[in-house]
Amino acid sequence: MKGRNGLPLDTKFINYTTQQGDTFDILALDVYNDEMKAGLIIQANPQYAGVLVFVAGIQLRIPIIEQEAASTLPPWKR
């Protein structure tokens, strides 16, 4: 079952306070080592979906996701 933001109801989050210049893709790269997962952070914070560059002090929820097992990753991501 999924919540209003499209994420599973049992998803756990960490709270993050933005720094001046943060973007969703930079946060995804820092947290998940994959900027392509920025959509997960946007889904968890739909009220900020239109923000391109954050100012300091915004509270965001960053979903905690399980990392893919190395054996399932393509060779260039291992």
Side-chain angles (χ1 to χ4, degrees), residues 9-29:
L9 290 175
D10 62 347
T11 301
K12 297 194 181 351
F13 298 90
I14 58 171
N15 292 315
Y16 174 77
T17 304
T18 61
Q19 298 178 26
Q20 178 67 38
D22 279 345
T23 62
F24 284 115
D25 57 337
I26 288 172
L27 293 173
L29 185 61

Side-chain angles (χ1 to χ4, degrees), residues 4 6-7 10 20 24 28 31 37 40-41 43 53 57 59-63 65 67 70 74-75 77:
R4 290 182 311 167
L7 296 169
D10 62 347
Q20 178 67 38
F24 284 115
V31 174
K37 291 188 172 137
L40 294 173
I41 303 171
Q43 279 182 300
V53 179
Q59 293 291 315
L60 296 178
R61 291 168 32 122
I62 310 291
I65 60 171
Q67 296 296 321
K77 284 191 140 187

